[in-house]
Amino acid sequence: MALPSISRKQSCTFLTYLIVIFQACNGFYLPGSYMHTYSPGEEIFAKVNSLTSIETELPFSYYSLPYCKPQGGIKKSAENLGELLMGDQIDNSPYRFRMNVNESLYLCTTPELSENDVKLLKQRTRDLYQVNMILDNLPAMRFTNQNGVKIQWTGYPVGYTPQNSNDDYIINHLKFKVYIHEYEGAGVEIIGTGEEGMGVISEADKKKASGFEIVGFEVVPCSVKYDPEKMTKLHIYDTVASVSCPQEIGNSQIIREHERVSFTYDVEFVKSDIRWPSRWDAYLKMEGARVHWFSILNSLMVIFFLAGIVFVIFLRTVRRDLTRYEELDKEAQAQMNEELSGWKLVVGDVFREPSHSKLLCVMVGDGVQITGMAVVTIVFAALGFMSPASRGMLLTGMILLYLFLGIAAGYVGVRMWTTIKGTSTGWRSVSWSIACFFPGIVFVILTFLNFILWGSRSTGAIPLSLYFILLALWFCISVPLTLLGGHLGTRAEPIKYPVRTNQIPREIPARTYPSWLLVLGAGTLPFGTLFIELFFILSSIWLGRFYYVFGFLLVVLFLLVIVCAEVSVVLTYMHLCVEDWMWWWKAFYASGSVALYVFLYSINYLVFDLQSLSGPVSATLYLGYSLIMAVAIMLSTGTIGFLTSFYFVHYLFSSVKID
C-alpha cells in the first residue's frame, strides 16, 4: 500500500520541479543581451565603434577625427578577447537621447580645421570610411537607393564627394529614428546575459520593467553649412531648428582649412509593433536569399548523387575482391598472388612507417583540434547560442574551444605516434610540436600583419598587452592540456596492425602520370561543397555584412566531412590497386588539397569581388588572413581524410587471410 503513495509523492515532486523549470525558462531569451526597458524621458547615450572601410580594411578610432567629445571625457567600453582581435574599439559618445522625446539638438563647433585635420577627413572620406554607432546594443542602420534598389547599410559615411567634383563634404548632421515598443511587465521572468552582465526581471520588479524597449535604430546623414559665429554662442544640447536632408551642395559643409564645423542631430521616436526578440531580424536578412537556397540545394543534390555512385562502385568492387580471395584455398591464393596485381600484393608494406611520420602525427593532432573547434562552434551557433548582439563572442568562443581541445589533439597525435613507432618514446616532443605547430604559424603571420597595422596606426593592431594574454593562454592552458592528452595517448592501447611488415620494402611500379596530380584533382570535390558558403563568409568578413545562416553552414560542414572521407578512401584504394603502398601522405592531401582551391578562390574574390580594396597594405592583410584560413582548412580536412583512410586500410587488410 505504501508504493502507490510514494509514487504519487514522486510524481508531485517531479511535476513541481517541472513547473518551476518551465516558469524560469518561460522568459529566457538566449540569443543576445537581456531586455532593457526605459522610462519616458530617461537619458540614453549612444556608443561609437571603430571607423571601418571596405576599401582599406584598416579600422581607426572614432576620435582620430575632429568629432565632438563627451562632457565627461572619452571612456572605453569593456571589450572581450574577440572584439580586441577584430579591431573593435567601443567608446562613449556625446549623442544623448531622451526616451520618447523628439528633439533637435546642438553638440559642438570645432576649432578651425588644421592642415592635418583636412588631410585626414579627405582621406577617410575618399576611402569610404563608415562611422559605426550603437544604441542599446543595436548598430545604426541606414538605407540608400541605387538604381532603384533599396540597399541596407550599417553605419554612415564620414563624408561624401559629389560626382565631377574635387571638393569633399563632411557629415555633420544626423537624423535619428529610434523605433520603440511599449512593454508592460506581466510577471514574466527574463533571464539573460548582455554587455551589463546578468539581468533578471521578476515579479517584484514589475513596475520597473514597464516602459519602452528599443527595437530599431536608423540614421539619415547629411551635411549642413552653419554660421560658426551663431553656433558658438550655443551650449551642448541646446535646441536648434530642425534640418531637412539632403541639403543642396551650396548649403553643405565643405572640408577645407580654417573652416569651423558645427555638429547637430535630430532624434525622432517611432512606436513599433516589433517585439524585443525580433529586433535583430532586420539586420540578419541575407541578400539574395533565394539564390542562397537554390545554390545550397543544388550542392546537396550533386554531392549526394556523387557520393551514392562512389559508394556503390567502391563497396561492390571491394566486396567482390574479398569474397573471391577468401573462397580460395591456400595454394590457390598463392597462385592468385603471383598472377594478379593490386592491393593484395602490398600486404607486407601497407603499414610501413611513412616518411616524416612525426610531422604527420603533429598535423593530424592539430587537425583534430581545429575540426573539433569548428564543429562545436557551428553547432552552438546553429542552435542560437552565438548572437550578433554579443560582438566578438564567436571568435572568443572559438579560441577558448581550441585551447581546451588541446587534450584531444595530444591524445590522437601521440596515439598515432605510438601506433606507427610501436613505442611511446618521444611522445613529449610530439605533444610539444602539436601544441606549437598551428598556433606558431598563426602567431608568425599575425605578428607580421600586426607590424603593418602598427605602422598604419590602426585600431586593428593587437595591443602589446593582448599579445602577453594570448601567449599566457597558449603556454598556460593549451600546452599543458596537450601534454596531458599526450600522456593519456601513451597509456591507451596502440592500434595493432592486422598484418606484418616485410623487412625489405616492395618496389612501386612506374606510373604513367604523377600521383600528386590525382591528389590535387581530388580536392575539387570537397571544394564544390564549400565554395558557395565560402562566398557568403568572405562577404561577411570583408564587406561588413552579417552572416547568421549557421544552419546552412552546419549542413555544409556535414557534407564536407562525408565528401572528404569518401575522396580520401577512394584515392587510397586506387593507389593500393596499383601497388603504391605509400598512401599515408596521399590520403592526407587527397582531402587536404581543398585548401589550395580555397586560397585560390580567395585570390579570385580579391580580384573580382573586392575591386574597391585599395593599396598593397590592404591586399597584404587580406592575403595573410586568407592564408591562416587555408592552413586551418588543410589541417582539418586532411585529418578527416587520413583517419578515415587509416581505418579503411586497417579494416581491409584485417579481412584478408594471411599465413
Side-chain angles (χ1 to χ4, degrees), residues 483-547:
L483 288 168
L484 174 62
H487 177 66
L488 295 176
T490 60
R491 302 187 67 177
E493 186 71 23
I495 301 169
K496 294 182 179 179
Y497 295 146
V499 294
R500 292 188 299 271
T501 301
N502 297 334
Q503 291 185 353
I504 302 173
R506 182 185 182 88
E507 185 179 353
I508 299 173
R511 302 285 293 273
T512 55
Y513 55 89
S515 58
W516 60 264
L517 200 61
L518 196 60
V519 170
L520 286 180
T524 55
L525 193 57
F527 180 71
T529 68
L530 184 66
F531 82 96
I532 296 168
E533 283 304 310
L534 188 62
F535 171 80
F536 286 96
I537 292 170
L538 290 175
S539 298
S540 170
I541 295 172
W542 301 106
L543 295 178
R545 298 173 184 169
F546 284 101
Y547 182 88

Side-chain angles (χ1 to χ4, degrees), residues 286-342:
M286 295 289 292
E287 295 295 329
R290 184 173 296 179
V291 176
H292 189 83
W293 272 101
F294 279 116
S295 299
I296 293 296
L297 290 175
N298 179 62
S299 293
L300 287 171
M301 292 173 63
V302 171
I303 293 308
F304 277 125
F305 178 70
L306 291 174
I309 293 175
V310 166
F311 265 121
V312 167
I313 294 174
F314 169 71
L315 288 175
R316 288 184 63 183
T317 304
V318 173
R319 186 171 296 174
R320 186 181 67 244
D321 281 354
L322 284 175
T323 303
R324 287 180 58 197
Y325 195 81
E326 291 177 356
E327 286 177 353
L328 300 174
D329 55 23
K330 293 181 180 179
E331 293 182 3
Q333 285 180 17
Q335 184 180 358
M336 183 179 177
N337 286 344
E338 292 176 2
E339 294 176 354
L340 297 179
S341 62

Side-chain angles (χ1 to χ4, degrees), residues 571-617:
L571 204 72
T572 301
Y573 181 70
M574 290 174 64
H575 280 105
L576 293 178
C577 283
V578 294
E579 302 176 39
D580 185 354
W581 47 265
M582 300 176 68
W583 59 271
W584 303 75
W585 281 106
K586 290 165 187 169
F588 186 92
Y589 283 115
S591 51
S593 60
V594 67
L596 175 64
Y597 298 99
V598 168
F599 188 70
L600 292 176
Y601 182 80
S602 300
I603 296 174
N604 173 80
Y605 187 85
L606 171 65
V607 174
F608 294 102
D609 293 281
L610 283 181
Q611 295 175 349
S612 59
L613 201 66
S614 60
V617 171

Side-chain angles (χ1 to χ4, degrees), residues 146 175-176 188 244 316 360 381 393 410 422 480 492 538 543 550 589:
Q146 292 184 3
K175 295 182 75 70
F176 294 108
V188 179
S244 60
R316 288 184 63 183
L360 179 63
M393 286 306 297
L538 290 175
L543 295 178
F550 290 106
Y589 283 115

Side-chain angles (χ1 to χ4, degrees), residues 222-356:
C222 58
S223 181
V224 181
K225 173 67 176 174
Y226 290 108
D227 182 357
E229 298 299 327
K230 292 182 180 178
M231 300 303 285
T232 49
K233 296 177 182 178
L234 299 175
H235 298 91
I236 190 170
Y237 305 131
D238 281 352
T239 303
V240 295
S242 183
V243 176
S244 60
C245 293
Q247 292 283 310
E248 296 179 358
I249 292 297
N251 296 327
S252 300
Q253 178 61 59
I254 194 170
I255 301 175
R256 63 185 175 203
E257 285 188 59
H258 309 302
E259 286 284 329
R260 303 186 69 185
V261 183
S262 297
F263 289 89
T264 57
Y265 67 99
D266 293 346
V267 57
E268 177 188 2
F269 287 87
V270 179
K271 290 190 177 180
S272 171
D273 293 329
I274 298 172
R275 300 186 66 85
W276 170 268
S278 305
R279 68 179 194 157
W280 276 94
D281 291 355
Y283 297 87
L284 302 180
K285 290 178 182 176
M286 295 289 292
E287 295 295 329
R290 184 173 296 179
V291 176
H292 189 83
W293 272 101
F294 279 116
S295 299
I296 293 296
L297 290 175
N298 179 62
S299 293
L300 287 171
M301 292 173 63
V302 171
I303 293 308
F304 277 125
F305 178 70
L306 291 174
I309 293 175
V310 166
F311 265 121
V312 167
I313 294 174
F314 169 71
L315 288 175
R316 288 184 63 183
T317 304
V318 173
R319 186 171 296 174
R320 186 181 67 244
D321 281 354
L322 284 175
T323 303
R324 287 180 58 197
Y325 195 81
E326 291 177 356
E327 286 177 353
L328 300 174
D329 55 23
K330 293 181 180 179
E331 293 182 3
Q333 285 180 17
Q335 184 180 358
M336 183 179 177
N337 286 344
E338 292 176 2
E339 294 176 354
L340 297 179
S341 62
W343 58 270
K344 297 172 288 298
L345 296 182
V346 296
V347 67
D349 297 274
V350 70
F351 290 109
R352 188 176 301 280
E353 181 182 343
S355 59
H356 308 293

Side-chain angles (χ1 to χ4, degrees), residues 81-107:
L81 183 62
E83 286 178 306
L84 291 171
L85 289 172
M86 290 164 61
D88 288 349
Q89 182 176 312
I90 301 174
D91 303 313
N92 60 335
S93 82
Y95 288 93
R96 185 205 67 184
F97 302 81
R98 291 188 294 178
M99 176 53 69
N100 212 18
V101 177
N102 298 339
E103 50 192 350
S104 182
L105 303 176
Y106 166 80
L107 273 184

